[in-house]
Amino acid sequence: MKKHVKFAFIGAGSVSFCPATIVDILQNKSFVEVEIEISLMDINPEPLELSRSFCEKIANRMGRTPRITATTDLCKAISGADFVITAIEVERYHYWSQDFHIPRRYGFRQIYGENGGPGGMFHTLRNLPPLLEIARMMEKECPDAWMLNYTNPEAKLVEGISRLSNIKVVGLCHGEIIGRGQLSAFLELPMERIAYKSVGLNHFGWFTKIWDRETGEDLYSRLREAERNADPLAQWDEWALPRIMLRTYGLWPYPGANHIGEYFAWSDSLLAGALPQFYHDPVADNLWQSAKKPPPFIYSFSSNPTNRELFTKHTDDWKNSFDSEREITGSGEYGIPIAEAIFFDIPTEIGAVNLPNKGYAKDLPEGMVIELPAMVDGKGIHPHPSDVLPTAIAQMIAAQGAIHKLVIDAYEEKSRNKLLQAVLLDPTVSNYYNAVAMINEMCDLQNGILPELNW
């Protein structure tokens, strides 16, 4: 067994994933038995330095002695790495607000715009080039390493990396955990009691079977009865859409309205919080002239109550995530458990991974990146074969598979025409003229961060 493990964290200034992931590594009972090297890399020196300082202070508090380095040099960061963790984004809410507003201006019925809809396509085209740069550097500097990717849009990016590079990559997300929490609430059972099978698309997963681990009882009939008896307005902005989909298709989707609703048009009538997302007054606010002040963001009315204060003092809230004096908590994500299972050859069940479909789901397109449970050990990640989905669900997911392929084609061929094909295939499309105008405006607005795309 190797006595030294190297983690390279690319996007180490990420407040969403870096601090908690570092805690995951340092708390892990297996990795504490070997020499740990953590190489932090970010293109922005300020959060990178905060991250380095946080890691050192947390390690000291925990009595750990990892080797911690920080660099803006990608090659140096990943050289000899066993695992490369990626969580990258540039001016996140600045560009997300464009992904959201511009398609809607042209009549596209998309919500959120992070992973699905035309917003998700442009999000992919911004993040695919830097992730491929990392992948190609990995091919040279650590060809046997795994990329553990947290960057969205997971499915499209992992498919692009799998198709255009030779590295081992898996996409990771906690949406399935959120979904199990919802089942737990309706069934009034602890999450650990609920066994399940699932399959689908990242942010559009489906529990095909649920049962009680202790009694073996099938829990779907109980879930349907509980859903019918539950208050119809409880957590409405998150749960109304999944509840309607349970009634319509017979299965429970995850993780919640904002995400699953990105993949079809009729979701907008079941998410009130879509209206104030990235709120601004276009007369008063010259919105995208500066990345320094993105519009205020609301995820949903369920998670962001509207009783906000009229005036709040601006603080660098993101810096608080790197406060080493706060309570030490891990992420609850699957990245480090996967690394542990592979490095130490410890067979481990993982609730959800994003990998190309290689016969795991017979009713979904071959090669399309899908999300499903897996067993992980020293030989790699082994997804479990899935159940057959209802025809309507399988076809909704299959359409997204075609969109994945076309968006990656658009990047590879530098083609706005291939992107147009993807946009016209998307369920939220309004009409041909709007699709062309939307693509042109987005390419102009995001010029400099998008790859080259020509008609």
Side-chain angles (χ1 to χ4, degrees):
M1 185 184 73
K2 293 173 64 176
K3 297 295 184 182
H4 172 271
V5 62
K6 179 176 178 179
F7 292 94
F9 200 112
I10 313 303
S14 167
V15 300
S16 298
F17 289 104
C18 186
T21 302
I22 299 304
V23 173
D24 289 345
I25 296 170
L26 298 179
Q27 285 182 333
N28 185 276
K29 294 179 180 179
S30 297
F31 283 120
V32 75
E33 301 298 327
V34 299
E35 294 179 359
I36 299 173
E37 180 179 354
I38 300 173
S39 180
L40 305 169
M41 185 269 166
D42 202 286
I43 60 174
N44 190 332
E46 183 183 4
L48 177 62
E49 174 56 26
L50 283 171
S51 184
R52 183 201 60 77
S53 176
F54 169 86
C55 291
E56 290 181 347
K57 291 174 181 176
I58 286 294
N60 184 62
R61 279 182 61 189
M62 298 175 67
R64 305 286 190 261
T65 56
R67 181 188 174 204
I68 299 170
T69 60
T71 180
T72 57
D73 185 323
L74 176 61
C75 179
K76 183 178 179 181
I78 69 173
S79 180
D82 297 286
F83 302 98
V84 177
I85 303 167
T86 46
I88 65 170
E89 199 78 63
V90 176
E91 299 293 352
R92 177 177 179 178
Y93 291 110
H94 174 77
Y95 289 110
W96 280 14
S97 62
Q98 296 172 0
D99 294 341
F100 176 76
H101 280 295
I102 301 303
R104 287 167 66 89
R105 180 188 298 169
Y106 288 97
F108 286 78
R109 289 176 63 189
Q110 75 160 29
I111 60 173
Y112 203 33
E114 182 192 15
N115 290 275
M121 299 181 203
F122 283 95
H123 193 194
T124 300
L125 290 167
R126 292 196 305 274
N127 284 339
L128 185 55
L131 278 178
L132 280 172
E133 179 185 356
I134 297 166
R136 288 167 182 152
M137 188 69 75
M138 288 175 65
E139 290 175 337
K140 297 176 182 177
E141 299 295 331
C142 54
D144 295 325
W146 275 90
M147 177 188 283
L148 308 176
N149 181 60
Y150 288 116
T151 307
N152 277 320
E154 281 284 7
K156 295 181 181 70
L157 292 175
V158 172
E159 192 162 324
I161 296 164
S162 299
R163 175 173 148 185
L164 302 176
S165 80
N166 296 317
I167 68 161
K168 295 177 289 188
V169 57
V170 61
L172 303 170
C173 181
H174 57 265
E176 161 266 333
I177 299 172
I178 294 173
R180 284 193 287 129
Q182 295 163 355
L183 295 178
S184 173
F186 278 97
L187 294 167
E188 299 181 294
L189 285 174
M191 283 177 59
E192 57 270 18
R193 281 274 299 273
I194 303 171
Y196 65 95
K197 293 187 70 175
S198 64
V199 67
L201 183 63
N202 180 238
H203 290 179
F204 195 47
W206 296 81
F207 293 107
T208 56
K209 286 187 174 69
I210 52 175
W211 68 94
D212 189 320
R213 289 186 189 277
E214 295 185 5
T215 67
E217 174 196 0
D218 173 68
L219 293 175
Y220 252 121
S221 59
R222 183 170 162 184
L223 175 65
R224 295 185 186 101
E225 181 181 4
E227 186 280 317
R228 287 286 187 179
N229 291 330
D231 186 327
L233 297 181
Q235 296 291 309
W236 188 88
D237 228 26
E238 273 294 282
W239 293 354
L241 180 58
R243 291 174 72 171
I244 291 297
M245 299 190 87
L246 172 69
R247 297 179 185 186
T248 304
Y249 302 110
L251 300 179
W252 186 266
Y254 67 80
N258 230 325
H259 285 309
I260 63 177
E262 292 188 86
Y263 295 107
F264 46 93
W266 55 271
S267 63
D268 56 4
S269 62
L270 289 160
L271 182 70
L275 299 176
Q277 283 181 345
F278 303 105
Y279 171 78
H280 73 290
D281 176 356
V283 173
D285 302 322
N286 198 355
L287 190 60
W288 298 307
Q289 294 304 305
S290 171
K292 300 299 182 184
K293 190 181 179 182
F297 173 68
I298 182 170
Y299 181 78
S300 74
F301 283 140
S302 296
S303 58
N304 293 276
T306 56
N307 57 338
R308 299 158 70 105
E309 297 293 333
L310 270 177
F311 303 101
T312 56
K313 184 179 180 181
H314 174 73
T315 60
D316 288 325
D317 291 335
W318 63 276
K319 292 184 179 180
N320 295 332
S321 294
F322 294 102
D323 178 8
S324 61
E325 299 303 316
R326 64 178 175 82
E327 181 184 358
I328 300 175
T329 57
S331 69
E333 303 282 352
Y334 289 127
I336 303 310
I338 287 176
E340 178 187 29
I342 292 172
F343 191 83
F344 296 99
D345 191 14
I346 302 173
T348 304
E349 291 292 335
I350 298 296
V353 297
N354 287 271
L355 289 171
N357 182 21
K358 296 181 179 180
Y360 312 127
K362 300 295 186 182
D363 53 343
L364 298 180
E366 188 76 3
M368 175 189 180
V369 167
I370 58 175
E371 184 170 282
L372 70 175
M375 193 275 288
V376 184
D377 59 19
K379 294 180 181 179
I381 302 175
H382 317 285
H384 296 305
S386 73
D387 295 323
V388 172
L389 288 162
T391 300
I393 296 174
Q395 289 305 305
M396 284 190 284
I397 295 172
Q400 294 299 320
I403 290 171
H404 291 187
K405 184 178 185 303
L406 289 166
V407 171
I408 298 165
D409 286 347
Y411 165 77
E412 197 173 17
E413 299 171 22
K414 303 178 181 179
S415 171
R416 292 193 192 188
N417 192 63
K418 280 292 177 68
L419 179 58
L420 175 61
Q421 292 178 32
V423 170
L424 292 174
L425 188 60
D426 192 85
T428 69
V429 68
S430 54
N431 63 53
Y432 170 79
Y433 300 98
N434 286 345
V436 173
M438 183 272 297
I439 289 172
N440 286 335
E441 181 171 353
M442 287 290 285
C443 286
D444 288 343
L445 194 60
Q446 298 186 0
N447 181 36
I449 192 169
L450 283 175
E452 181 181 351
L453 294 166
N454 305 299
W455 290 113

